[in-house]
Amino acid sequence: MDGLTTARRQMVEGVWKRQGLRNDELKAVMSAVPRHLFVDSALASKAYSDISLPIAAEQTISQPSMVAIMTDALSPRKGDKILEIGTGSGYQTALLAHYTPRLYTVERIATLSKRAQALLDQLGFRNIIYKIGDGSLGWESWAPYDRIIVTAGAPVVSEKLKLQLADGGRLLIPTGGREAQKLLCIDRMGSDFRETDMGDCRFVPLLGKEGWEK
């Protein structure tokens, strides 16, 4: 076992212990995905610290504990149709792809989308559909989705995203200010939407028609 593999497993063990997580399947998935490949090679030595790191285009890769918390709260099930808003580095994308025959992911910044696709293709992922565009509007042509996850902070919950949820579906989205947000978990039951506050978080702004202006 090489040093990076050991560091990755130690990171995951630490996150699970600190956060009190009990999701063994997600733990195995996170232990298998090489986070160091999703950051600049100069930052590879920091990839298995529980911190966010800068990537291209003034964006970030979220800290592993937040990725674990969000994925666990999303509760994806085998066979779910999942929409990810904010492909970013592609790390969260790789985790989600484990759960679904088709993962749909939208990224506003073309260079990030193309870089993530090249890496994920190299890693053998063949079940991911990519789009470059305004993620605040979702991806209506493939709706409804069983699960939607947003990895950027919005001023309010996008109505477009809520309406793209299937009955019984779940949406995770950070909302609040540009600098800090609350993570909301929204469950759809027919025409009703139940919101649960999952606590404080900090993400880059979600830019778009139903997000922040540039």
Side-chain angles (χ1 to χ4, degrees):
M1 186 182 299
D2 62 40
L4 287 173
T5 300
T6 299
R8 181 165 66 249
R9 292 185 177 180
Q10 289 174 342
M11 175 200 77
V12 173
E13 289 288 347
V15 167
W16 254 245
K17 184 176 180 180
R18 288 191 299 275
Q19 301 300 328
L21 298 175
R22 301 181 182 280
N23 189 330
D24 291 337
E25 182 175 15
L26 176 58
K27 185 178 183 181
V29 174
M30 282 195 74
S31 296
V33 175
R35 187 173 186 253
H36 66 277
L37 297 181
F38 294 86
V39 301
D40 188 278
S41 58
L43 297 174
S45 63
K46 299 181 179 180
Y48 297 116
S49 299
D50 191 20
I51 56 175
S52 61
L53 292 169
I55 58 174
E58 300 182 337
Q59 303 298 296
T60 59
I61 179 173
S62 295
Q63 65 189 98
S65 57
M66 180 55 66
V67 173
I69 288 167
M70 290 185 72
T71 309
D72 184 56
L74 190 69
S75 297
R77 304 157 300 188
K78 288 289 189 182
D80 275 349
K81 185 192 289 188
I82 303 175
L83 173 64
E84 176 191 39
I85 304 302
T87 313
S89 68
Y91 178 66
Q92 175 78 78
T93 316
L95 300 181
L96 294 171
H98 169 79
Y99 294 94
T100 177
R102 284 289 182 273
L103 172 64
Y104 302 86
T105 184
V106 183
E107 172 56 55
R108 181 180 60 87
I109 303 170
T111 53
L112 286 183
S113 179
K114 291 175 182 177
R115 183 177 299 183
Q117 181 172 351
L119 176 56
L120 291 164
D121 284 350
Q122 179 183 336
L123 292 173
F125 291 94
R126 299 290 182 265
N127 60 330
I128 305 169
I129 313 299
Y130 303 86
K131 179 181 180 180
I132 299 168
D134 183 353
S136 73
L137 301 177
W139 197 346
E140 198 166 6
S141 58
W142 295 104
Y145 302 95
D146 301 297
R147 297 289 187 268
I148 300 176
I149 185 169
V150 183
T151 59
V156 295
V157 179
S158 166
E159 290 298 319
K160 289 276 190 181
L161 292 179
K162 287 171 66 175
L163 294 176
Q164 289 175 36
L165 269 182
D167 190 6
R170 174 170 290 182
L171 163 66
L172 275 185
I173 181 169
T175 62
R178 277 182 174 265
E179 300 298 327
Q181 305 88 30
K182 294 283 189 182
L183 180 61
L184 293 183
C185 178
I186 300 171
D187 291 298
R188 181 172 190 174
M189 293 157 286
S191 59
D192 294 327
F193 295 87
R194 183 182 64 195
E195 293 188 4
T196 304
D197 184 344
M198 303 290 294
D200 296 334
C201 59
R202 179 173 290 186
F203 286 86
V204 297
L206 176 67
L207 302 182
K209 290 183 178 179
E210 294 213 8
W212 295 97
E213 295 182 359
K214 291 185 181 180

